[in-house]
Amino acid sequence: PEPGLVAIPDKKEITMKRRELLGFMGAGALLGLAGCSSKGGVGEDDFMIDGRHALDIKTIYFDFDEYVLKPKYRRVLSAHAKKLNETGKSIRIEGHCDERGTREYNIGLGERRANAVRSYLIAEGLSSSQISTISYGEERPVDYAHNESAWAKNRRAELIY
């Protein structure tokens, strides 16, 4: 892809890679994360990350000045895509940033974060007509402190449905 753009594999490629990894290494290797487990099967929504079920996770966190999805959140988004495909519900994705950077830059970064989530959900089979996005930039922090811990909580995309 061009610099600054994220290549998102198509659904067939993701499914084939998932099967390949599961066949050789099990679900934990697919996730590539400590603290993840599957409870008896490898369904899209029956695994846990840090003690929480995938569908209970509706906040996707990002690194500083980034809009690339972390591997554990890709799996979470796959679970949400499956549920939304089954129910036909719509989703709003809200992009947020920490307070660093100009207001204009953060509105753009929040939009890129929301669109990264949107693109992944579309790659997982969701219709673009089911998805809306909005960026709030730095305007709606969840933590008002001025430190790294607060900033990390504010760099997010929220799934609203």
Side-chain angles (χ1 to χ4, degrees):
E2 294 179 37
L5 296 180
V6 178
I8 299 177
D10 64 23
K11 187 173 183 176
K12 182 178 178 185
E13 186 179 340
I14 292 169
T15 301
M16 295 201 45
K17 182 55 95 176
R18 182 181 300 144
R19 287 183 186 146
E20 179 182 318
L21 289 171
L22 289 174
F24 288 106
M25 298 174 264
L30 173 64
L31 296 172
L33 300 164
C36 297
S37 65
S38 177
K39 54 176 192 169
V42 189
E44 291 299 319
D45 57 357
D46 68 350
F47 70 95
M48 297 181 70
I49 295 177
D50 301 327
R52 295 178 65 200
H53 290 281
L55 291 173
D56 292 337
I57 299 171
K58 292 194 173 186
T59 304
I60 309 300
Y61 293 100
F62 294 87
D63 289 332
F64 173 70
D65 202 25
E66 292 286 339
Y67 56 97
V68 175
L69 296 171
K70 296 177 183 181
K72 72 177 177 180
Y73 293 122
R74 292 183 190 136
R75 186 75 192 264
V76 167
L77 290 171
S78 293
H80 283 285
K82 179 181 177 190
K83 179 178 181 179
L84 290 166
N85 274 321
E86 290 171 354
T87 63
K89 284 187 173 183
S90 293
I91 183 172
R92 183 178 71 240
I93 305 163
E94 299 178 347
H96 299 271
C97 301
D98 62 35
E99 65 189 24
R100 297 174 289 177
T102 65
R103 183 180 184 281
E104 295 78 15
Y105 182 82
N106 285 336
I107 289 289
L109 181 57
E111 182 177 356
R112 289 187 294 277
R113 288 174 175 163
N115 283 332
V117 172
R118 179 182 189 276
S119 295
Y120 191 86
L121 292 173
I122 290 171
E124 287 290 298
L126 219 59
S127 168
S128 61
S129 65
Q130 289 176 264
I131 306 169
S132 64
T133 60
I134 189 166
S135 173
Y136 291 110
E138 63 192 72
E139 302 302 318
R140 293 188 175 184
V142 292
D143 190 328
Y144 287 89
H146 306 286
N147 57 48
E148 185 54 47
S149 175
W151 296 329
K153 293 174 193 168
N154 293 330
R155 297 188 302 258
R156 69 196 191 280
E158 293 186 3
L159 310 177
I160 310 296
Y161 70 94

